[in-house]
Amino acid sequence: MGEKTKVLLAEDEASLGMIIKESLESRNFQVSLCGDGEEALETYRSYDPDILVLDVMMPLKDGFTLAREIRRKDPDTPIIFLTAKSRTEDVVEGFGHGGNDYLRKPFSMEELIVRVNALLNRQQVRKTNGIVEIGRYKFDYPKQLLILGNKILPLTHREAEVLLRLARQPNRLIERSQILNEIWGEDDFFNGRSMDVFITRLRKKLKQDPSIQIVNVRGFGYKLIC
Amino acid sequence: MGEKTKVLLAEDEASLGMIIKESLESRNFQVSLCGDGEEALETYRSYDPDILVLDVMMPLKDGFTLAREIRRKDPDTPIIFLTAKSRTEDVVEGFGHGGNDYLRKPFSMEELIVRVNALLNRQQVRKTNGIVEIGRYKFDYPKQLLILGNKILPLTHREAEVLLRLARQPNRLIERSQILNEIWGEDDFFNGRSMDVFITRLRKKLKQDPSIQIVNVRGFGYKLIC
DNA sequence: AGATTGCGTTAAACAGTGTTAAGCAGTGTT
DNA sequence: AACACTGCTTAACACTGTTTAACGCAATCT
């Protein structure tokens, strides 16, 4: 991404649209705001966005239909749906149409930004074949390796899983419970102790480059600083 | 495949059927949805699908029976079973009836799509006359050979079978039990030990290209990284 | 027939991984 | 300052996977 990250935002409620647009712009995103589905589809073609944020209920063309049409030719660009309904079926439908995430209204701007960043980072991991740079290290997630110069440190599966969660959003707070739920499926006492052990082991393996640190935020989670 | 890939979907629960149908269609598949086993069999004959997605529990004819009948004349077209039950026996039974994969309800559309694509890729192996590229190697499955430049390593039958299971879905986790059931017919202690031995032997023969690795995922299976 | 070879299985010792446990250290609160 | 709480570290452990070798069987050769 040479310049700013481009967001295509489709939201028919003008005031809400503007609020979202401005908060994204304040985070250094470039945003194109569309008021209905047709306009969004047209804009999509010329604007070449990095990520789409689509309201589900819009005039002329709803978000799901729009997503389906886009997905025909573009299986990659992440999509976040904004939905007022909270019923499960809508969520299923959203994922079914190729979306990557959804957000129920009302939501906080923080939440949206977190998800946008998460999806973009995930995308990046995929585009680099799962290889992420961490300071002077290269972290090869599929091969479970940490490479520093000519040194190769093998990681175990769990180590690689934990590190991936931290590395795909560096310098950001990742919540303990998010990591635990994603990897262990449950956030309970024992899994928590287990994770502690892996944090220790990762710190040991990352010690070669002192500019990298796994910083604890008491009561919340960790940040990978690099 | 001249046009779109054709999926025959048999699912008696109408709402779920429609969701699956639409999700697949949004990914550019052509889908024929059948509400029971008899209808599915009839449709199969005229529709000539590239892949079958069958609910196990259906009126008139269950998915296993249907699969068995289809397999009599058609050993190739991949079959995915959808099953509400989660017991291991059903999975084993599924493979026994000629199924290639199974999916436990509830599942996400993402999962289904990943598996459909994986099986279609597998078909690709057949279309290249059973020759698969693995890193710098060429793996000739029918001839049981690994070719690297001008070096030719012969493989034994079992080695070739195990390697095929890994190579037709590279970079993805293949479950131990799946390999064991497909090759040995049963996942028990001794077959497991036997497989370990072949994993070792394959690793030895694949050592020439260090970019290739058979990575273990503790408790689940292996990934062929390349 | 007897010897040889090749293959898959069994066996056994060994290494690696994730979890649990226990004690210690750090942090914020009362 | 005392306290509770969270996190850190090390070690022990049970379990899973790895490796090498030996074994037994069947097919092939002499």
Side-chain angles (χ1 to χ4, degrees), chain A residues 104-170:
Chain A
R104 284 199 314 247
K105 295 183 189 176
F107 54 88
S108 75
M109 287 307 126
E110 272 313 315
E111 277 180 280
L112 176 61
I113 303 222
V114 164
R115 282 164 201 258
V116 166
N117 278 321
L119 283 176
L120 287 170
N121 282 319
R122 222 166 285 185
Q123 196 68 0
Q124 205 166 344
V125 169
R126 209 157 16 119
K127 276 182 185 157
T128 56
N129 285 320
I131 297 175
V132 190
E133 305 235 353
I134 305 177
R136 302 198 286 115
Y137 289 92
K138 276 184 186 158
F139 168 40
D140 187 332
Y141 167 66
K143 287 194 184 143
Q144 307 185 359
L145 298 175
L146 261 181
I147 299 161
L148 179 64
N150 50 8
K151 264 186 202 157
I152 296 182
L153 294 173
L155 299 174
T156 73
H157 183 242
R158 282 274 197 263
E159 286 170 349
E161 290 294 332
V162 174
L163 184 54
L164 177 70
R165 298 302 182 290
L166 299 171
R168 71 187 174 194
Q169 293 179 77

Side-chain angles (χ1 to χ4, degrees), chain A residues 168-212:
Chain A
R168 71 187 174 194
Q169 293 179 77
N171 300 308
R172 299 187 75 92
L173 172 64
I174 318 294
E175 285 181 43
R176 276 186 81 91
S177 64
Q178 186 185 329
I179 301 176
L180 285 164
N181 282 318
E182 281 190 35
I183 299 179
W184 278 268
E186 201 173 356
D187 172 3
D188 64 15
F189 174 81
F190 289 111
N191 293 336
R193 293 311 101 239
S194 222
M195 194 174 108
D196 292 342
V197 174
F198 286 108
I199 292 291
T200 298
R201 290 180 182 166
L202 283 174
R203 282 185 174 136
K204 202 169 286 177
K205 292 192 173 175
L206 289 169
K207 212 158 35 184
Q208 305 292 329
D209 182 347
S211 71
I212 298 170

Side-chain angles (χ1 to χ4, degrees), chain B residues 21-74:
Chain B
K21 183 172 191 279
E22 288 192 14
S23 314
L24 287 169
E25 281 172 347
S26 78
R27 306 299 179 106
N28 214 27
F29 292 100
Q30 182 186 317
V31 181
S32 176
L33 173 59
C34 305
D36 65 69
E38 287 288 2
E39 186 191 344
L41 185 59
E42 260 181 59
T43 307
Y44 166 77
R45 297 193 218 277
S46 55
Y47 187 59
D48 187 31
D50 299 297
I51 187 167
L52 300 151
V53 179
L54 309 179
D55 191 10
V56 171
M57 290 198 287
M58 284 187 298
L60 298 179
K61 184 166 283 177
D62 71 279
F64 287 152
T65 310
L66 177 57
R68 205 159 358 107
E69 290 176 9
I70 288 171
R71 272 286 173 269
R72 276 203 204 118
K73 293 194 172 176
D74 173 0

Side-chain angles (χ1 to χ4, degrees), chain B residues 1-208:
Chain B
M1 296 173 217
E3 271 292 307
K4 290 182 181 177
T5 303
K6 289 190 282 185
V7 181
L8 172 55
L9 171 64
E11 166 62 59
D12 64 313
E13 209 184 304
S15 57
L16 179 60
M18 279 308 294
I19 291 178
I20 301 175
K21 183 172 191 279
E22 288 192 14
S23 314
L24 287 169
E25 281 172 347
S26 78
R27 306 299 179 106
N28 214 27
F29 292 100
Q30 182 186 317
V31 181
S32 176
L33 173 59
C34 305
D36 65 69
E38 287 288 2
E39 186 191 344
L41 185 59
E42 260 181 59
T43 307
Y44 166 77
R45 297 193 218 277
S46 55
Y47 187 59
D48 187 31
D50 299 297
I51 187 167
L52 300 151
V53 179
L54 309 179
D55 191 10
V56 171
M57 290 198 287
M58 284 187 298
L60 298 179
K61 184 166 283 177
D62 71 279
F64 287 152
T65 310
L66 177 57
R68 205 159 358 107
E69 290 176 9
I70 288 171
R71 272 286 173 269
R72 276 203 204 118
K73 293 194 172 176
D74 173 0
D76 291 333
T77 311
I79 299 177
I80 298 176
F81 288 117
L82 307 179
T83 167
K85 309 185 223 169
S86 64
R87 295 176 305 148
T88 327
E89 305 98 85
D90 293 324
V91 173
V92 174
E93 203 188 342
F95 285 119
H97 287 102
N100 302 93
D101 208 344
Y102 62 93
L103 213 51
R104 286 199 311 247
K105 295 182 189 176
F107 55 88
S108 78
M109 290 305 129
E110 281 306 326
E111 279 179 277
L112 176 61
I113 301 216
V114 164
R115 282 164 201 256
V116 166
N117 281 323
L119 284 174
L120 290 170
N121 281 335
R122 219 189 265 196
Q123 284 303 91
Q124 214 76 15
V125 171
R126 204 188 322 279
K127 287 187 178 147
T128 56
N129 289 319
I131 297 175
V132 192
E133 306 235 352
I134 306 176
R136 302 198 286 115
Y137 289 91
K138 276 184 185 157
F139 168 40
D140 188 333
Y141 168 65
K143 289 191 183 144
Q144 306 188 358
L145 296 176
L146 261 181
I147 300 161
L148 179 63
N150 49 9
K151 265 185 202 158
I152 296 182
L153 294 172
L155 298 173
T156 72
H157 180 242
R158 282 278 198 259
E159 286 171 350
E161 289 295 331
V162 174
L163 184 54
L164 177 68
R165 298 304 182 288
L166 298 171
R168 68 190 175 187
Q169 293 178 78
N171 300 308
R172 291 202 29 191
L173 172 64
I174 316 294
E175 286 180 42
R176 276 186 82 91
S177 64
Q178 185 181 331
I179 300 176
L180 286 165
N181 281 316
E182 282 191 34
I183 300 180
W184 278 268
E186 201 174 355
D187 172 3
D188 65 15
F189 175 80
F190 289 108
N191 293 336
R193 294 309 100 239
S194 219
M195 193 174 107
D196 292 342
V197 174
F198 286 107
I199 292 291
T200 297
R201 291 179 182 165
L202 283 173
R203 282 186 175 136
K204 202 168 285 176
K205 293 192 174 177
L206 288 169
K207 213 159 34 185
Q208 304 292 327

